[in-house]
Coordinates of all heavy atoms in Angstrom, one line a residue:
M1 N 0.8 -1.2 0.0 CA 0.0 0.0 0.0 C 0.9 1.2 0.0 O 2.0 1.2 0.4 CB -0.9 0.0 1.2 CG -0.2 0.1 2.6 SD -1.3 0.5 4.0 CE -1.1 2.3 4.1
L2 N 0.3 2.3 -0.4 CA 1.0 3.6 -0.3 C 0.8 4.1 1.1 O -0.3 3.9 1.7 CB 0.4 4.6 -1.3 CG 0.7 4.3 -2.8 CD1 -0.1 5.3 -3.7 CD2 2.2 4.4 -3.1
P3 N 1.7 4.9 1.6 CA 1.5 5.4 3.0 C 0.3 6.3 3.0 O 0.0 7.0 2.1 CB 2.8 6.2 3.2 CG 3.8 5.8 2.2 CD 3.0 5.3 1.0
K4 N -0.4 6.3 4.2 CA -1.5 7.2 4.4 C -1.0 8.5 5.0 O -0.1 8.5 5.8 CB -2.4 6.6 5.4 CG -3.6 7.4 5.8 CD -4.5 6.6 6.8 CE -5.7 7.5 7.2 NZ -5.5 7.9 8.6
I5 N -1.4 9.6 4.5 CA -1.0 10.9 5.0 C -1.7 11.1 6.3 O -2.9 11.2 6.4 CB -1.4 12.1 4.0 CG1 -0.7 11.9 2.7 CG2 -1.1 13.4 4.6 CD1 -1.2 12.8 1.6
Y6 N -0.9 11.2 7.4 CA -1.4 11.4 8.7 C -1.7 12.9 8.9 O -2.8 13.3 9.5 CB -0.5 10.9 9.8 CG -0.9 11.2 11.2 CD1 -2.1 10.6 11.7 CD2 -0.3 12.2 11.9 CE1 -2.5 11.0 13.0 CE2 -0.7 12.5 13.2 CZ -1.8 11.9 13.7 OH -2.3 12.3 15.0
D7 N -0.8 13.7 8.5 CA -0.9 15.2 8.7 C 0.0 15.8 7.7 O 0.9 15.2 7.1 CB -0.5 15.6 10.1 CG -1.0 17.0 10.5 OD1 -1.7 17.6 9.7 OD2 -0.8 17.4 11.6
T8 N -0.3 17.1 7.3 CA 0.5 17.8 6.3 C 1.5 18.8 7.0 O 1.9 19.7 6.3 CB -0.4 18.5 5.3 OG1 -1.3 19.4 6.0 CG2 -1.2 17.5 4.5
Q9 N 1.8 18.5 8.2 CA 2.8 19.3 9.0 C 3.7 18.3 9.7 O 3.1 17.3 10.2 CB 2.2 20.3 9.9 CG 1.3 21.3 9.3 CD 2.2 22.3 8.5 OE1 3.3 22.6 8.9 NE2 1.6 22.8 7.4
P10 N 4.9 18.6 9.9 CA 5.8 17.7 10.7 C 5.4 17.8 12.2 O 4.9 18.8 12.6 CB 7.2 18.2 10.4 CG 7.0 19.6 10.1 CD 5.7 19.7 9.4
A11 N 5.8 16.7 12.9 CA 5.7 16.8 14.3 C 7.1 17.3 14.9 O 8.1 16.7 14.6 CB 5.5 15.4 14.9
I12 N 7.1 18.4 15.6 CA 8.3 18.9 16.2 C 8.3 18.5 17.6 O 7.4 18.9 18.4 CB 8.3 20.5 16.0 CG1 8.2 20.8 14.5 CG2 9.6 21.0 16.7 CD1 8.0 22.3 14.3
L13 N 9.3 17.7 17.9 CA 9.4 17.0 19.3 C 10.7 17.2 19.9 O 11.7 17.3 19.2 CB 9.1 15.5 19.1 CG 7.8 15.1 18.5 CD1 7.8 13.6 18.3 CD2 6.6 15.6 19.3
D14 N 10.7 17.4 21.2 CA 11.9 17.4 22.0 C 12.1 16.0 22.6 O 11.3 15.7 23.5 CB 11.7 18.5 23.1 CG 13.0 18.7 23.9 OD1 14.0 18.0 23.8 OD2 12.9 19.6 24.8
L15 N 13.0 15.3 22.1 CA 13.2 13.9 22.5 C 14.4 13.6 23.3 O 15.5 14.2 22.9 CB 13.1 12.9 21.3 CG 11.9 12.9 20.4 CD1 12.1 12.0 19.2 CD2 10.7 12.5 21.3
E16 N 14.4 12.7 24.2 CA 15.6 12.3 24.9 C 16.4 11.4 24.0 O 15.9 10.9 23.0 CB 15.1 11.5 26.2 CG 14.3 12.3 27.2 CD 15.1 13.5 27.8 OE1 16.4 13.4 27.9 OE2 14.5 14.5 28.2
A17 N 17.7 11.3 24.4 CA 18.5 10.3 23.7 C 17.9 8.9 23.7 O 17.3 8.6 24.8 CB 19.9 10.3 24.3
G18 N 18.0 8.2 22.7 CA 17.4 6.8 22.7 C 17.1 6.3 21.3 O 17.4 6.9 20.3
E19 N 16.4 5.2 21.3 CA 16.1 4.5 20.0 C 14.6 4.7 19.8 O 13.8 4.4 20.7 CB 16.5 3.0 20.2 CG 16.2 2.2 19.0 CD 16.6 0.7 19.2 OE1 17.9 0.5 19.1 OE2 15.8 -0.1 19.5
Y20 N 14.2 5.0 18.6 CA 12.9 5.3 18.2 C 12.5 4.6 16.9 O 13.4 4.3 16.1 CB 12.6 6.8 18.1 CG 12.9 7.6 19.4 CD1 14.1 8.1 19.6 CD2 11.9 7.8 20.3 CE1 14.4 8.8 20.8 CE2 12.1 8.5 21.5 CZ 13.3 9.0 21.7 OH 13.6 9.7 22.9
F21 N 11.2 4.3 16.8 CA 10.7 3.7 15.5 C 9.6 4.6 15.0 O 8.5 4.8 15.6 CB 10.1 2.3 15.8 CG 11.2 1.4 16.2 CD1 11.6 1.2 17.5 CD2 11.9 0.6 15.2 CE1 12.7 0.4 17.9 CE2 12.9 -0.3 15.6 CZ 13.3 -0.4 16.9
W22 N 9.9 5.2 13.8 CA 9.0 6.2 13.2 C 8.0 5.4 12.3 O 8.4 4.5 11.6 CB 9.8 7.1 12.3 CG 9.1 8.0 11.4 CD1 8.4 9.2 11.7 CD2 8.9 7.9 10.0 NE1 7.8 9.8 10.6 CE2 8.2 9.0 9.5 CE3 9.4 7.0 9.0 CZ2 7.8 9.2 8.2 CZ3 9.1 7.2 7.7 CH2 8.3 8.3 7.3
C23 N 6.8 5.8 12.3 CA 5.7 5.2 11.5 C 5.8 5.7 10.1 O 5.8 6.9 9.8 CB 4.3 5.6 12.1 SG 3.0 5.3 10.9
S24 N 6.0 4.7 9.2 CA 6.1 5.1 7.7 C 4.8 4.9 7.0 O 4.6 5.3 5.9 CB 7.2 4.2 7.1 OG 6.8 2.9 7.0
C25 N 3.9 4.1 7.6 CA 2.6 3.8 6.9 C 1.5 4.8 7.1 O 0.5 4.8 6.4 CB 2.2 2.4 7.3 SG 1.5 2.2 9.0
G26 N 1.6 5.5 8.2 CA 0.5 6.5 8.5 C -0.6 6.0 9.3 O -1.6 6.7 9.6
L27 N -0.6 4.7 9.6 CA -1.7 4.0 10.3 C -1.6 4.0 11.8 O -2.6 3.7 12.5 CB -1.9 2.6 9.8 CG -2.2 2.5 8.3 CD1 -2.2 1.0 7.8 CD2 -3.5 3.2 7.9
S28 N -0.4 4.2 12.3 CA -0.2 4.1 13.8 C -1.1 5.1 14.6 O -1.4 6.2 14.1 CB 1.2 4.5 14.1 OG 1.4 4.6 15.5
G29 N -1.6 4.6 15.7 CA -2.4 5.4 16.6 C -1.5 6.2 17.6 O -2.0 6.8 18.5
H30 N -0.2 6.1 17.4 CA 0.8 6.7 18.3 C 1.7 7.6 17.5 O 2.9 7.5 17.7 CB 1.5 5.5 19.0 CG 2.4 6.0 20.1 ND1 1.8 6.6 21.2 CD2 3.7 5.9 20.4 CE1 2.8 6.8 22.1 NE2 4.0 6.4 21.6
Q31 N 1.2 8.4 16.5 CA 2.0 9.2 15.6 C 2.9 10.2 16.4 O 2.5 10.7 17.4 CB 1.1 10.0 14.7 CG 0.3 9.1 13.7 CD 1.2 8.5 12.7 OE1 2.3 8.9 12.4 NE2 0.7 7.4 12.1
P32 N 4.1 10.4 15.9 CA 4.6 9.9 14.6 C 5.4 8.6 14.8 O 6.1 8.2 13.8 CB 5.5 11.1 14.2 CG 6.1 11.6 15.5 CD 4.9 11.5 16.5
M33 N 5.2 7.9 15.9 CA 5.9 6.7 16.1 C 5.1 5.5 15.7 O 3.9 5.5 15.7 CB 6.3 6.6 17.6 CG 7.1 7.8 18.1 SD 8.6 8.1 17.2 CE 9.3 9.5 18.1
C34 N 5.8 4.4 15.5 CA 5.2 3.1 15.1 C 4.5 2.5 16.3 O 5.0 2.5 17.4 CB 6.3 2.2 14.6 SG 5.7 0.5 14.2
D35 N 3.3 1.9 16.1 CA 2.7 1.0 17.1 C 2.4 -0.4 16.5 O 1.6 -1.1 17.1 CB 1.4 1.7 17.6 CG 0.2 1.7 16.6 OD1 0.5 1.3 15.4 OD2 -0.9 2.1 16.9
G36 N 2.9 -0.7 15.4 CA 2.8 -2.0 14.8 C 1.7 -2.2 13.8 O 1.5 -3.2 13.2
E37 N 0.9 -1.1 13.6 CA -0.2 -1.1 12.6 C 0.2 -1.5 11.2 O -0.7 -1.8 10.4 CB -1.0 0.2 12.6 CG -2.0 0.3 13.8 CD -3.1 -0.7 13.7 OE1 -3.7 -0.9 12.6 OE2 -3.4 -1.3 14.7
H38 N 1.5 -1.3 10.9 CA 1.9 -1.6 9.5 C 1.9 -3.0 9.1 O 2.0 -3.4 7.9 CB 3.3 -1.0 9.3 CG 4.3 -1.7 10.2 ND1 4.6 -1.3 11.4 CD2 5.1 -2.8 9.9 CE1 5.5 -2.1 12.0 NE2 5.8 -3.0 11.1
T39 N 1.7 -3.9 10.1 CA 1.7 -5.3 9.8 C 0.8 -5.7 8.6 O -0.4 -5.3 8.6 CB 1.3 -6.1 11.0 OG1 2.2 -5.8 12.1 CG2 1.3 -7.6 10.8
G40 N 1.3 -6.3 7.6 CA 0.5 -6.7 6.4 C 0.4 -5.7 5.3 O -0.1 -5.9 4.3
T41 N 1.0 -4.5 5.6 CA 0.9 -3.4 4.5 C 2.1 -3.5 3.6 O 2.1 -2.8 2.5 CB 0.9 -2.0 5.2 OG1 2.2 -1.8 5.8 CG2 -0.2 -1.8 6.2
G42 N 3.2 -4.2 3.9 CA 4.4 -4.2 3.1 C 5.3 -3.1 3.4 O 6.4 -3.0 2.9
L43 N 4.9 -2.2 4.3 CA 5.7 -1.1 4.8 C 6.3 -1.4 6.2 O 5.8 -2.3 6.9 CB 4.9 0.2 4.9 CG 4.3 0.7 3.6 CD1 3.3 1.8 3.8 CD2 5.3 1.1 2.6
R44 N 7.4 -0.8 6.5 CA 8.1 -1.1 7.7 C 8.4 0.2 8.5 O 8.5 1.3 7.9 CB 9.4 -1.8 7.5 CG 9.2 -3.0 6.6 CD 10.6 -3.6 6.2 NE 11.1 -4.5 7.2 CZ 12.2 -5.1 7.1 NH1 13.0 -4.9 6.1 NH2 12.6 -5.9 8.0
S45 N 8.5 0.1 9.8 CA 8.9 1.3 10.6 C 10.3 1.6 10.3 O 11.1 0.8 9.7 CB 8.7 1.0 12.0 OG 9.5 -0.1 12.4
K46 N 10.7 2.9 10.6 CA 12.1 3.3 10.4 C 12.7 3.6 11.7 O 12.2 4.5 12.5 CB 12.1 4.6 9.5 CG 13.4 5.3 9.4 CD 14.3 4.6 8.5 CE 15.6 5.4 8.3 NZ 16.6 4.7 7.5
K47 N 13.7 2.8 12.1 CA 14.4 3.0 13.3 C 15.4 4.2 13.2 O 16.0 4.3 12.2 CB 15.2 1.7 13.7 CG 16.0 1.8 14.9 CD 16.6 0.4 15.2 CE 18.0 0.5 15.7 NZ 18.6 -0.8 16.0
F48 N 15.4 5.0 14.3 CA 16.4 6.0 14.3 C 16.9 6.2 15.8 O 16.2 5.8 16.7 CB 16.0 7.3 13.8 CG 14.8 8.0 14.5 CD1 15.1 9.1 15.3 CD2 13.5 7.6 14.4 CE1 14.1 9.8 16.0 CE2 12.5 8.2 15.0 CZ 12.8 9.3 15.8
I49 N 18.1 6.6 15.9 CA 18.8 6.7 17.2 C 19.2 8.1 17.4 O 19.8 8.7 16.5 CB 20.0 5.7 17.3 CG1 19.5 4.3 17.2 CG2 20.8 6.0 18.6 CD1 20.6 3.3 17.1
L50 N 18.9 8.7 18.6 CA 19.4 10.0 19.0 C 20.4 9.8 20.1 O 20.2 9.1 21.0 CB 18.2 10.8 19.5 CG 17.1 11.1 18.5 CD1 16.0 11.9 19.2 CD2 17.6 11.9 17.3
T51 N 21.6 10.3 19.8 CA 22.7 10.1 20.8 C 22.7 11.2 21.9 O 23.4 11.0 22.9 CB 24.1 10.2 20.1 OG1 24.2 11.4 19.4 CG2 24.2 9.0 19.1
E52 N 21.8 12.2 21.7 CA 21.7 13.2 22.7 C 20.3 13.8 22.6 O 19.6 13.6 21.6 CB 22.7 14.3 22.6 CG 22.6 15.0 21.3 CD 23.8 16.0 21.1 OE1 24.8 15.9 21.8 OE2 23.6 17.0 20.4
R53 N 19.8 14.4 23.7 CA 18.5 15.1 23.6 C 18.5 16.0 22.4 O 19.4 16.8 22.3 CB 18.2 15.8 24.9 CG 16.9 16.5 25.0 CD 16.7 17.2 26.3 NE 15.4 17.9 26.3 CZ 15.0 18.6 27.3 NH1 15.8 18.7 28.4 NH2 13.9 19.2 27.3
S54 N 17.4 16.0 21.6 CA 17.3 16.7 20.4 C 15.9 17.2 20.1 O 14.9 16.5 20.4 CB 17.8 15.9 19.2 OG 19.0 15.3 19.4
I55 N 15.8 18.3 19.5 CA 14.5 18.8 18.9 C 14.5 18.3 17.5 O 15.4 18.6 16.7 CB 14.4 20.3 19.0 CG1 14.3 20.7 20.5 CG2 13.1 20.7 18.3 CD1 14.2 22.1 20.8
V56 N 13.5 17.5 17.1 CA 13.5 16.9 15.8 C 12.2 17.3 15.1 O 11.2 17.5 15.7 CB 13.6 15.4 15.8 CG1 15.0 15.0 16.3 CG2 12.6 14.7 16.7
R57 N 12.2 17.3 13.8 CA 11.0 17.5 12.9 C 10.8 16.2 12.2 O 11.4 15.8 11.2 CB 11.3 18.6 11.9 CG 11.4 20.0 12.6 CD 12.0 21.0 11.6 NE 11.4 21.0 10.3 CZ 10.4 21.7 9.9 NH1 9.9 22.6 10.7 NH2 9.9 21.6 8.7
L58 N 9.8 15.4 12.7 CA 9.5 14.1 12.2 C 8.4 14.2 11.2 O 7.3 14.9 11.4 CB 9.1 13.1 13.3 CG 10.2 12.8 14.3 CD1 9.8 11.8 15.3 CD2 11.5 12.4 13.6
C59 N 8.5 13.6 10.0 CA 7.5 13.6 9.0 C 6.2 13.0 9.4 O 6.2 11.9 9.9 CB 8.1 12.9 7.7 SG 6.9 12.8 6.4
N60 N 5.1 13.7 9.2 CA 3.8 13.2 9.4 C 3.0 12.9 8.1 O 2.0 12.2 8.1 CB 3.0 14.2 10.2 CG 3.1 14.0 11.7 OD1 3.3 12.9 12.2 ND2 2.8 15.1 12.5
C61 N 3.5 13.4 7.0 CA 2.8 13.2 5.7 C 3.3 11.9 5.1 O 2.6 11.4 4.2 CB 3.1 14.4 4.8 SG 4.7 14.5 4.0
K62 N 4.4 11.4 5.5 CA 4.9 10.1 5.1 C 5.4 10.1 3.6 O 5.5 9.0 3.0 CB 3.9 8.9 5.3 CG 3.2 9.0 6.7 CD 4.1 9.0 7.8 CE 3.4 9.0 9.2 NZ 4.3 9.1 10.3
Q63 N 5.6 11.3 3.1 CA 6.1 11.4 1.7 C 7.6 11.8 1.7 O 8.2 12.0 0.6 CB 5.3 12.5 1.0 CG 3.8 12.4 1.1 CD 3.3 11.1 0.5 OE1 3.6 10.8 -0.6 NE2 2.5 10.4 1.3
T64 N 8.2 12.0 2.9 CA 9.6 12.5 2.9 C 10.6 11.6 2.2 O 10.4 10.3 2.3 CB 10.1 12.7 4.4 OG1 11.4 13.2 4.4 CG2 10.0 11.4 5.2
R65 N 11.6 12.1 1.7 CA 12.7 11.3 1.0 C 13.8 11.1 2.0 O 14.8 10.5 1.7 CB 13.1 12.0 -0.3 CG 12.1 11.9 -1.4 CD 12.3 12.9 -2.4 NE 12.0 14.3 -1.8 CZ 12.0 15.4 -2.4 NH1 12.3 15.4 -3.7 NH2 11.8 16.5 -1.8
T66 N 13.7 11.7 3.2 CA 14.8 11.5 4.2 C 14.2 11.1 5.5 O 14.3 11.7 6.6 CB 15.5 12.9 4.4 OG1 14.5 13.9 4.8 CG2 16.2 13.3 3.2
P67 N 13.4 9.9 5.5 CA 12.8 9.4 6.7 C 13.8 9.2 7.8 O 14.9 8.7 7.6 CB 12.1 8.1 6.3 CG 12.9 7.7 5.1 CD 13.4 9.0 4.4
P68 N 13.4 9.4 9.1 CA 12.1 9.9 9.5 C 11.9 11.4 9.5 O 10.9 11.9 10.0 CB 12.1 9.4 11.0 CG 13.5 9.6 11.4 CD 14.4 9.2 10.2
F69 N 12.9 12.1 9.0 CA 12.8 13.6 9.1 C 12.1 14.2 8.0 O 12.2 13.8 6.8 CB 14.3 14.1 9.3 CG 15.0 13.5 10.4 CD1 16.0 12.5 10.2 CD2 14.7 13.7 11.7 CE1 16.7 11.9 11.2 CE2 15.3 13.1 12.8 CZ 16.3 12.2 12.5
C70 N 11.4 15.3 8.3 CA 10.7 16.1 7.3 C 11.7 16.7 6.4 O 12.8 17.2 6.8 CB 10.0 17.2 8.1 SG 9.3 18.5 7.0
D71 N 11.4 16.7 5.1 CA 12.3 17.3 4.1 C 11.6 18.4 3.3 O 12.1 18.9 2.3 CB 12.9 16.3 3.1 CG 11.8 15.7 2.2 OD1 10.6 16.0 2.4 OD2 12.2 14.9 1.2
G72 N 10.4 18.8 3.8 CA 9.6 19.8 3.1 C 8.7 19.3 2.1 O 7.9 20.1 1.5
S73 N 8.6 18.0 1.8 CA 7.7 17.4 0.8 C 6.3 17.7 1.1 O 5.4 17.8 0.2 CB 7.9 15.9 0.7 OG 9.2 15.6 0.2
H74 N 5.9 17.9 2.4 CA 4.6 18.2 2.8 C 4.0 19.5 2.1 O 2.8 19.7 2.0 CB 4.4 18.3 4.3 CG 5.1 19.4 4.9 ND1 6.4 19.3 5.4 CD2 4.8 20.7 5.1 CE1 6.8 20.5 5.9 NE2 5.8 21.4 5.7
A75 N 4.9 20.4 1.8 CA 4.5 21.7 1.2 C 3.7 21.4 -0.1 O 2.7 22.2 -0.4 CB 5.7 22.5 0.9
A76 N 4.0 20.4 -0.8 CA 3.2 20.1 -2.0 C 1.8 19.6 -1.8 O 1.0 19.6 -2.6 CB 4.0 19.0 -2.9
L77 N 1.6 19.2 -0.5 CA 0.2 18.7 -0.1 C -0.7 19.8 0.4 O -1.8 19.6 0.6 CB 0.4 17.6 0.9 CG 1.3 16.4 0.5 CD1 1.6 15.5 1.7 CD2 0.7 15.7 -0.6
N78 N -0.1 20.9 0.7 CA -0.8 22.0 1.4 C -1.5 23.0 0.4 O -2.0 24.0 0.8 CB 0.1 22.8 2.4 CG 0.4 21.9 3.6 OD1 -0.4 21.2 4.1 ND2 1.6 22.1 4.2
G79 N -1.3 22.6 -0.9 CA -1.8 23.4 -2.0 C -2.9 24.3 -1.9 O -3.4 25.1 -2.4
Ligands
FES101 S1 5.7 16.4 7.1 FE1 6.3 15.0 5.6 S2 7.9 16.0 4.5 FE2 7.3 17.4 6.0

């Protein structure tokens, strides 16, 4: 399946250092992180690691070319 657009703006989060799993399918009920809803879609979560506390812009439109981070692709959806 193609990813579902969850939102047309990124999630700007202040996250502690650690390991995270970003939702690539748009179906998670725990956006922008994975909750396992992608099972059976052919899509997979994207693991990322923060080595220090960071403010991040995580893609919510699921169209980014630099997952899990927003690359501005959502701008084309806000038309
Ligand atoms: S929210 Fe997806 S590219 Fe910005």
Side-chain angles (χ1 to χ4, degrees):
M1 66 167 262
L2 292 173
K4 176 176 177 253
I5 297 168
Y6 173 69
D7 197 358
T8 55
Q9 296 292 328
I12 301 172
L13 301 175
D14 184 354
L15 296 177
E16 298 295 333
E19 182 177 282
Y20 297 91
F21 292 87
W22 172 76
C23 167
S24 69
C25 70
L27 300 176
S28 172
H30 191 60
Q31 293 293 336
M33 305 304 183
C34 175
D35 72 354
E37 278 295 316
H38 63 271
T39 302
T41 65
L43 299 171
R44 305 171 88 180
S45 60
K46 170 74 175 176
K47 177 175 142 181
F48 66 103
I49 295 171
L50 298 176
T51 57
E52 60 186 25
R53 181 178 176 182
S54 307
I55 295 174
V56 295
R57 292 164 46 91
L58 298 181
C59 174
N60 268 334
C61 76
K62 315 305 180 184
Q63 312 297 308
T64 181
R65 289 157 294 184
T66 57
F69 303 107
C70 171
D71 71 351
S73 293
H74 66 266
L77 304 170
N78 287 326

